[in-house]
Amino acid sequence: MTVKQNYIDGEWVDSAAAPIVDRNPSDVEDVVGSYAAADAAQTRRAIEAARAAFPAWSRSSIQERADLLDAVGGKILARAQEIGRLLAREEGKTLKEGVGETVRAAHVFKFHAGQALRIAGDLLDSPRKGISVLVQREPVGVIGIITPWNFPIAIPAWKIAPALAYGNCVVFKPASLVPGCAHAIAELLAESGCPRGVFNLVVGSGREVGDVLVGAPEVDAISFTGSVETGRGLAARAVGSMKKIQLEMGGKNPLIVLDDADLDNAVECAIQGAFYSTGQRCTATSRVILTPGIYARFRAALVEKARALVVGDALDEKTQIGPAVDATQLKTDLDYISVGQKEGARLVAGGDRAPAPKNGFYIAPTIFEDVHNQMRIAREEIFGPVASILRAKNYEEALAIANDTPFGLSAGICTTSLKHADHFRRNAQVGLAMINAPTAGVDYHVPFGGVKASSYGPREQGVNAVEFYTRIKTVYTNVSIGG
Ligand code: ADP
């Protein structure tokens, strides 16, 4: 099998290190591909190439940047079935989810193609006579982009596209579990005429490649999505070289279901939020908080639906829930299930590996009840298809439980009470508040991010991406000089 190369300074380059073997989590016998593992020296070369490309790219015409991003978006759309299949094969989400994510990545590129044409500033009068003030936006420089495995094309897209739109150069380090989608993005940028050095791909380990990116003084900013632990360590290091940083990390997202909720919609929100994408989303629902009047009906319907979900090969059209991404994540899920049992929570669905035709990391959608909010399964991010049901006396107690967490990414409420929906909108301590909608599932044209331990730095996506990917210069002009 040929080893796919890294993309540095406009060239595809090999590595002397042992390649990274990308395996299908639905069937470990299936090798998706082999990818050259970049080392520290190659990462430094990529950073130098990005630095060297920056002066010209930062002054390139906005039309050139818009055209590049639009072309990449168009090519992703044209190849959405093929790339979506690759995504499902290497990450384990279902084919439908893989294609959906790919289409979304295309939309992200197209959205930011438009944004390249709308880089605006502000012109102000000065309190001083004869002076005008211009507040303008400029590119930041070289951006290190470090991404996780759970959205192998959408997360890279929503970082790479705005970085390039606003005139920055990029060194991209994807998670080692999903080099295939990263390679596809690099290929499409290369074949769309991205000038050399403007975009570089370095597949490799966080400890080696990631660490060089975070430590290098020539990198001006790091955009990271991943775990809280890695994010915190990385941020402390990045600040040492005065980098701009943006971190998207975990969640422990609650869904409150009140007595007056539409039952079918509420159950569907919980099923989608907790189990789709195998629960491997930072916006996944992991705590379902119920008030007494709906408890029994909701619990019965949720358990029935969860048990009926079809777990299987991500590429099988009938599959609703694909496997965990790898053996480590599967072990984490199973370990948390035994932690929950030891803590006194009661298993009402799943709780073990799911029977499946192939040798993959299948796990049954799992539900605990009698969960107290101080239990580890209610406080720590599991990142698997495991949901906990908690009881609350009323809306006020449900909201207090929802907010009692170190995280603050997404929270949902299912209710037909305008009063409670409005109170929740104002008082949920999160970056994403969902009303009669799942905690997961967001749009690309509006900001994404959380509060507390979930996020740090400016919001990602939509118009707000301009805040991270540009810096501000304030220009004073004495307009009274000259004729
Ligand atoms: P996940 O479980 O979502 O992969 P991680 O935080 O472990 O979360 O990894 C997220 C990304 O950060 C990956 O691309 C990983 O390789 C990278 N990474 C891990 N450790 C480091 C590190 N010390 N420095 C820089 N990047 C790292």
Side-chain angles (χ1 to χ4, degrees):
M1 183 179 274
T2 55
V3 176
K4 299 232 167 77
Q5 298 158 309
N6 284 300
Y7 189 64
I8 300 172
D9 201 14
E11 315 259 334
W12 294 101
V13 295
D14 280 325
S15 162
I20 292 167
V21 179
D22 186 5
R23 285 182 187 276
N24 179 350
S26 295
D27 176 7
V28 290
E29 312 305 322
D30 176 30
V31 174
V32 179
S34 286
Y35 295 83
D39 57 17
Q42 286 180 322
T43 309
R44 280 191 281 274
R45 267 191 52 213
I47 295 168
E48 279 163 28
R51 218 33 297 148
F54 179 65
W57 183 246
S58 63
R59 290 192 294 270
S60 60
S61 99
I62 54 174
Q63 190 66 56
E64 182 183 349
R65 292 185 234 152
D67 288 347
L68 174 69
L69 298 176
D70 188 55
V72 172
K75 285 172 199 233
I76 294 176
L77 264 189
R79 288 173 53 188
Q81 291 299 324
E82 171 211 336
I83 298 174
R85 195 176 175 81
L86 167 70
L87 197 168
R89 207 172 140 212
E90 75 174 353
E91 197 270 350
K93 64 182 66 172
T94 64
L95 194 54
K96 189 169 163 224
E97 290 170 332
V99 173
E101 184 186 328
T102 306
V103 169
R104 174 152 162 226
H107 291 155
V108 168
F109 271 96
K110 284 181 168 280
F111 176 83
H112 287 290
Q115 289 304 94
L117 305 174
R118 296 187 198 104
I119 305 169
D122 292 312
L123 183 63
L124 293 89
D125 284 339
S126 166
R128 290 177 283 158
K129 211 167 173 350
I131 303 283
S132 79
V133 188
L134 176 66
V135 181
Q136 69 184 45
R137 290 197 178 266
E138 298 184 338
V140 176
V142 174
I143 317 279
I145 291 179
I146 300 177
T147 56
W149 48 259
N150 65 326
F151 284 92
I153 194 160
I155 292 178
W158 81 53
K159 295 178 191 292
I160 294 166
L164 298 179
Y166 296 119
N168 302 284
C169 294
V170 167
V171 180
F172 169 38
K173 192 212 92 63
S176 316
L177 284 175
V178 290
C181 287
H183 199 271
I185 295 176
E187 253 175 14
L188 295 178
L189 275 158
E191 70 183 48
S192 303
C194 182
R196 64 185 287 181
V198 167
F199 171 85
N200 304 272
L201 169 70
V202 279
V203 175
S205 78
R207 250 175 303 107
E208 190 168 11
V209 171
D211 195 62
V212 172
L213 271 178
V214 174
E218 302 84 0
V219 174
D220 300 287
I222 295 280
S223 181
F224 166 88
T225 301
S227 63
V228 175
E229 200 190 350
T230 306
R232 289 217 165 125
L234 180 152
R237 265 206 83 207
V239 165
S241 49
M242 307 300 276
K243 287 182 183 32
K244 205 170 173 180
I245 46 174
Q246 175 181 59
L247 311 174
E248 288 302 336
M249 299 168 288
K252 196 69 199 172
N253 310 295
L255 177 71
I256 297 173
V257 182
L258 299 185
D259 291 355
D260 61 12
D262 175 315
L263 182 69
D264 291 347
N265 179 62
V267 170
E268 195 49 38
C269 287
I271 289 282
Q272 279 196 30
F275 304 127
Y276 281 24
S277 297
T278 322
Q280 297 176 150
R281 297 187 283 192
C282 45
T283 50
T285 304
S286 52
R287 296 180 295 144
V288 183
I289 306 166
L290 305 179
T291 49
I294 201 162
Y295 190 98
R297 283 179 294 145
F298 181 94
R299 175 200 176 281
L302 182 72
V303 168
E304 189 188 326
K305 273 207 154 185
R307 287 195 180 135
L309 288 169
V310 180
V311 180
D313 188 329
L315 298 180
D316 184 331
E317 298 283 348
K318 292 191 291 300
T319 295
Q320 292 172 288
I321 310 292
V325 74
D326 68 355
T328 307
Q329 184 60 53
L330 177 65
K331 181 171 183 309
T332 301
D333 297 348
L334 295 172
D335 285 352
Y336 269 112
I337 290 169
S338 56
V339 165
Q341 287 171 299
K342 284 193 198 112
E343 286 180 312
R346 194 147 57 93
L347 257 183
V348 288
D352 211 339
R353 299 192 63 153
K358 295 198 172 133
N359 189 8
F361 307 113
Y362 301 99
I363 172 163
T366 296
I367 301 172
F368 278 110
E369 72 174 342
D370 297 340
V371 176
H372 189 278
N373 203 40
Q374 301 310 315
M375 291 179 180
R376 281 183 62 200
I377 55 165
R379 299 208 80 75
E380 298 171 18
E381 187 176 47
I382 300 173
F383 225 58
V386 182
S388 292
I389 298 177
L390 295 92
R391 289 174 191 269
K393 284 199 290 287
N394 49 32
Y395 164 71
E396 287 71 23
E397 192 182 58
L399 179 67
I401 293 170
N403 284 338
D404 175 15
T405 170
F407 294 103
L409 186 55
S410 180
I413 189 167
C414 290
T415 180
T416 48
S417 154
L418 189 55
K419 180 179 143 202
H420 287 139
D422 191 62
H423 186 274
F424 174 81
R425 173 177 71 77
R426 293 166 191 274
N427 292 286
Q429 294 165 4
V430 286
L432 306 163
M434 309 297 198
I435 297 167
N436 293 317
T439 58
V442 296
D443 293 338
Y444 63 87
H445 66 309
V446 287
F448 176 88
V451 298
K452 301 200 266 184
S454 292
S455 304
Y456 184 83
R459 286 280 183 270
E460 297 203 82
Q461 301 207 63
V463 176
N464 295 67
V466 75
E467 287 157 27
F468 183 71
Y469 292 103
T470 63
R471 61 184 179 203
I472 282 177
K473 183 180 280 171
T474 311
V475 182
Y476 292 87
T477 307
N478 183 343
V479 293
S480 69
I481 298 301

